[in-house]
Amino acid sequence: MTPSRVRPGPYRRIQIRRRLQLGFWIVLAGVLIARAAEVQVVERMAWMKDALGQHQKSKVVPAHRGRILDRNGAELAVSHWRSSVGVAPNEIQDREKVVAALVENLGVRETTARRVSAPTRSWHVVPGRYSMTRVSQLRGLRGVHVLGELRRLYPREGLASGLLGGVQDGIGKGGIEQSLDSVLTGRPGREIIARDNMGREIPGRVVTVQAPLSGRDVVLTVDMDLQTIAEEVLSTAVASTGARGGDMVVTDPLTGEILALTSILNGSGNVLSAVNTPYEPGSTIKPFTTAALLRHDLASLSDSVDTGTGVWEVKGRRITDIAGGGWLTLHEVIQQSSNVGIAKFAERLTHTQQYLALRDFGFGTPTGILLPGEASGVLRRPQQWSGQSSHSLAFGYELSVTPLQMAMAFGVLANGGWLMEPRLVKEVRGQDGSLLYSGRSRKIRRVVSPRVTDALKRVLVDVVETGTGTRARMSSFLVAGKSGTSRALGKNGRYEEGAYYASFGAYFPADDTQLLFFVKLDRPRGSYYGGATAAPVTLAAMESLLSARQSPIDRKALSRVQRHVSPPPPTTPLVQFAASIEETGIEVPTAARVPAVERAEMTVPRLRDTPIRVALRRLHKMGLRVRLEGSGTVLETVPPGGSAIRAGDTIQVRGRGA
C-alpha cells in the first residue's frame, strides 16, 4: 500500500495568507500608480492652476463709467477712483519710513501716522479717502495696503437727481443711468497680484493682464442753468402752495429737445412723476378739442353757444362752470375755460373724430423718451365710451396723461402742427472725445395744419392776456397758454375730497416760439386753480431765464418779437414855439411847459359778483385800461369801487375762478 502525501493543515493556511497579502500589495501598488498617473497626466493642469493660485491672485479691475454731461458740456455725473489706506503693523520693516510717507503723501498728522503704524497685531485704516494720485507713492511700501474704489459722483449737488438716477453695485438704477447703462458701462480689466507663502499680497508685484475700457460719455439735451431754474421755481411753488408735489417740463417745441425736467413728491426730488405718473388733465385739454373742431371745419372761433347760467343737465349728469356766461363764442369758451361751452361744441364731433384727434396729439401712447418706467396714460376706444364720455373728454376727464405727454402735445400748437418725439440724448462720445452718435429731431406725424395752430395761438394769447392765465402774463412779450384744474383720485380709486391738480401749459414767445413750459402741482392747498397756482410758476421761470447770463434762448430773435409799449403821456407836456425875433435877433426854438389838459375824473363802479365779461365791457367804455386776474365773476377791483380814477388809468380786476 502506497502512503498518501498529505501536507499538514497549518502550513497550507500560511501559504494562502501570503498569497492574499501579495495580491493586496499588488492591487494597492496598481491603485497608487494609477492615481499618480491621473495626477501627473490627467489632472496636471488643474493642480498647476491650484498651486499657482496659492502664489497669485487674479483681480477684476472695474472700468470708469462714462460721464453724463449737459448740452454745453457741464458735468452732471462722473466716476472717480477714491482709495482707502490700510496698515498692517506686523508687516512693517521700516516704521519711520512708513510714518514719513503717510504724512507726506496723505497729509495726515504725525500722531495719526504713528498710531496706525504702532507695533500691534491689529489692522489699522488711515482716516479719510484719497485720490489715486496721492496714494501712488505708497504702493510697494511693505506694511501699507492701498484699497481702491471707483465711486459715482454727481458734482451739481443733487441737480436733476430724478432724471439722472443712480448707480448701485456698478449697475444703473433709475433715470439715464439705467436706460443708458449699456452705453455708460465700460469693460472691466484684470490684473495678477503675487502673494507670499502666507497668502498675503506682495506690494509692487502686480501685472495687468487686460486693461479696463472706460464707458462712453452721454451728452444730454438738458441745459444745466435752465434745469436749476426749473427746480428752484417748482420747489418754491410746492412750498408756498402746500402742494404734495409737482412736475415741470421745459422743451424746445421745434426740435422736441427736453431742456429741463424735474419732479417733486413729498419733499423728494429723486422721482420722475412727470414721466411715469398719469393724471386727468382737466381744462388744459380744451385747446386740443378745439383743434379737432377747427381741423374738421365743424366750428369757427366766432361760432357761439349758450352756456346759460353755467349749469347744463345732460344725459343724467350736471356740467358746471365757475359762473354763467350766457352766449359765448368758441374763442371766449377757451378764454374763460367754460366746461359747458366746450361740451356743447364737442357734440359736433363724432366719437371717432374726437378719439383720433386726441390720439394724434399723443395721448394714450408712450412718447418713447429714453427713461425707464414711462406711463402711456389711458385713452379708451370709442367702443368703450359711455353716453357721457364725449362731454367728459372735451374738458379733460375720462382720460389720463403724463405731464411729458402734455408738453409734447402743446408743442404741436407751438410749432405749426407737428408732434415731435421727445429728444433727451444729444450725443454719445468716446473717451477720446470722438463722436459716436448724434441725435436728430424726429417728426412723428402732422396733427393739424398751420391754419389751425395760428388760429389757436390768438386764443391762447388772449387766455394769458385777459383770460384764466393772466398770472403768466409778461409785460415785454406775448405768451400763449392754457390753465387747467382737475380733481385728484385717492387710493381707493375715487375722487379725493378737496384734492385737485393744478396745471398750466404755455409757449414763449407766442410769435417765433423758442421755449415751451408745462407745470403741474399735486394737491395745492388753499387756492387750487391752475391759473392761480401753476401759471405763476411759468412766469417765474421765464423771468429767471431772461435775467440769467447764459440761457438756451436766442436773444436777437427775442428782441424782434418784443412788445412795443408806448410810454405814458407826461403830466405836463412840452410845447414847442418860437422866441421873439425882436428880443434875440435869431429865431431859436425854445421849450415852455404849459398846463396839461385835465383828464376826465370818474368813480370806479362797484362790480363785485358781476360777470367778468360784463365788467370788462363797462370798464372799457369808461376809457379805462384793465388788468385781469382770474375768471367767472368779479371778486374785487383795485382800486376798489367808489374810488376816484381818471380816464386812461389801469384798474385791476380779480375774478373768482382760474
Side-chain angles (χ1 to χ4, degrees), residues 330-596:
L330 181 55
H331 186 119
E332 293 170 331
V333 164
I334 303 303
Q335 185 180 4
Q336 300 182 23
S337 200
S338 169
N339 293 338
V340 173
I342 198 65
K344 287 189 173 184
F345 272 113
E347 289 189 325
R348 303 184 184 187
L349 292 164
T350 67
H351 288 182
T352 300
Q353 288 173 333
Q354 189 174 8
Y355 168 79
L356 290 178
L358 295 174
R359 192 76 168 183
D360 284 349
F361 276 104
F363 302 125
T365 58
T367 65
I369 192 171
L370 280 174
L371 288 172
E374 183 188 8
S376 61
V378 175
L379 177 61
R380 294 178 295 121
R381 293 181 177 275
Q383 295 84 347
Q384 300 171 306
W385 291 7
S386 68
Q388 301 174 352
S389 296
S390 177
H391 297 138
S392 297
L393 289 167
F395 50 86
Y397 285 89
E398 291 197 32
L399 82 160
S400 64
V401 301
T402 64
L404 177 63
Q405 287 176 324
M406 291 300 298
M408 302 314 296
F410 267 95
V412 175
L413 306 181
N415 66 25
W418 288 98
L419 179 65
M420 305 297 296
E421 182 181 59
R423 180 180 162 205
L424 193 55
V425 177
K426 183 179 180 182
E427 295 174 351
V428 176
R429 300 175 183 168
Q431 281 298 308
D432 58 354
S434 59
L435 182 64
L436 304 178
Y437 166 82
S438 179
R440 295 181 179 179
S441 302
R442 190 172 81 87
K443 297 176 179 178
I444 297 176
R445 71 178 72 90
R446 174 171 281 286
V447 182
V448 291
S449 67
R451 172 185 67 85
V452 174
T453 59
D454 288 345
L456 278 171
K457 178 176 67 177
R458 297 194 300 271
V459 180
L460 298 180
V461 167
D462 283 347
V463 168
V464 177
E465 291 292 301
T466 58
T468 60
T470 54
R471 297 193 66 178
R473 185 182 185 275
M474 302 188 74
S475 59
S476 301
F477 303 96
L478 288 176
V479 177
K482 182 69 185 78
S483 62
T485 309
S486 60
R487 299 186 65 183
L489 292 173
K491 295 181 179 179
N492 58 0
R494 296 178 178 274
Y495 289 119
E496 187 177 331
E497 187 66 28
Y500 296 88
Y501 294 116
S503 57
F504 190 78
Y507 47 97
F508 152 83
D511 297 310
D512 195 12
T513 300
Q514 296 191 39
L515 296 177
L516 185 141
F517 300 80
F518 190 84
V519 178
K520 186 203 77 175
L521 296 178
D522 183 355
R523 295 169 174 82
R525 298 177 183 176
S527 179
Y528 54 81
Y529 292 108
T533 57
V537 184
T538 302
L539 178 61
M542 291 187 293
E543 290 178 339
S544 297
L545 181 63
L546 290 174
S547 63
R549 289 186 177 181
Q550 295 182 346
S551 64
I553 59 176
D554 183 344
R555 296 186 183 275
K556 290 184 178 179
L558 203 62
S559 65
R560 292 194 292 268
V561 295
Q562 189 170 2
R563 290 181 195 249
H564 296 286
V565 182
S566 300
T571 55
T572 55
L574 296 177
V575 179
Q576 298 282 338
F577 62 91
S580 172
I581 296 178
E582 288 96 348
E583 295 178 2
T584 62
I586 304 174
E587 188 172 344
V588 180
T590 60
R593 293 191 180 273
V594 299

